[in-house]
Amino acid sequence: MSRNILGVLLSFVLVTLVGCGGGSSFEGEWSIDKAAMKEIMVASMEKEAEGQPEEAKKFMLDMANTMVENMQMDLSLKSDGTFTVTSVMMDQTDTVKGKWTESGGTISMLEDGNPDKKATAKIEGGKLMVSFQGEPGAPDKLPMVRKAK
């Protein structure tokens, strides 16, 4: 079960990608919304834990909460159409770079050297909601909030 959680979290890291130019509302620094991420993880864990003993459910939920609390993910969308994602999970840092474009209020992000890793994002309710394509186990939407300047 913990491998599934780790797989989902690593999918977030490996997929979050790309930018545009010209004063886009997407440009800037974003970080994972931990409160929203906890809700997503808890819902996923509850579904996975159906039929399990209460001790196992509690263990899984505690593990998910701890993982989210200790995770860090920052996305920088630059005006030159490039992006950088830096994530820290389980004391390991990973950096992914790529390019992004904007069309019709949505950005498309592609990881450098890995065209199969694609994500899109829209701003919904002030949050950047990142969606992944072709990533088994990834959430429907990864919520990110703009970092304070």
Side-chain angles (χ1 to χ4, degrees):
M1 287 182 249
S2 65
R3 291 188 71 179
N4 288 342
I5 295 168
L6 181 58
V8 168
L9 294 174
L10 289 176
S11 292
F12 299 157
V13 175
L14 296 175
V15 178
T16 310
L17 334 144
V18 191
C20 143
S24 169
S25 61
F26 292 97
E27 290 173 17
E29 306 295 319
W30 299 85
S31 63
I32 193 165
D33 181 340
K34 287 187 178 187
M37 193 65 224
K38 272 187 186 181
E39 289 178 20
I40 291 169
M41 291 297 295
V42 166
S44 174
M45 296 303 288
E46 286 175 346
K47 191 173 190 178
E48 189 174 328
E50 286 179 5
Q52 297 290 325
E54 287 303 312
E55 279 183 16
K57 289 180 185 179
K58 182 179 179 342
F59 174 78
M60 290 171 62
L61 293 174
D62 288 346
M63 184 175 61
N65 282 323
T66 299
M67 290 177 79
V68 172
E69 277 303 314
N70 293 315
M71 113 175 26
Q72 177 183 341
M73 184 180 295
D74 298 309
L75 168 64
S76 177
L77 295 169
K78 299 175 185 96
S79 63
D80 67 356
T82 63
F83 75 90
T84 303
V85 175
T86 302
S87 59
V88 179
M89 280 188 253
M90 300 174 66
D91 296 326
Q92 293 194 16
T93 301
D94 187 34
T95 300
V96 173
K97 295 182 178 192
K99 298 190 180 354
W100 66 276
T101 57
E102 180 180 356
S103 177
T106 300
I107 60 171
S108 295
M109 300 179 278
L110 296 173
E111 182 179 336
D112 287 347
N114 200 348
D116 293 335
K117 299 288 184 177
K118 184 177 181 182
T120 58
K122 289 183 176 186
I123 296 175
E124 298 175 6
K127 295 181 183 183
L128 183 67
M129 302 303 285
V130 182
S131 299
F132 305 99
Q133 298 166 355
E135 281 298 317
D140 290 337
K141 293 184 180 179
L142 174 67
M144 301 190 89
V145 293
R146 194 175 294 276
K147 292 173 112 179
K149 293 183 181 183

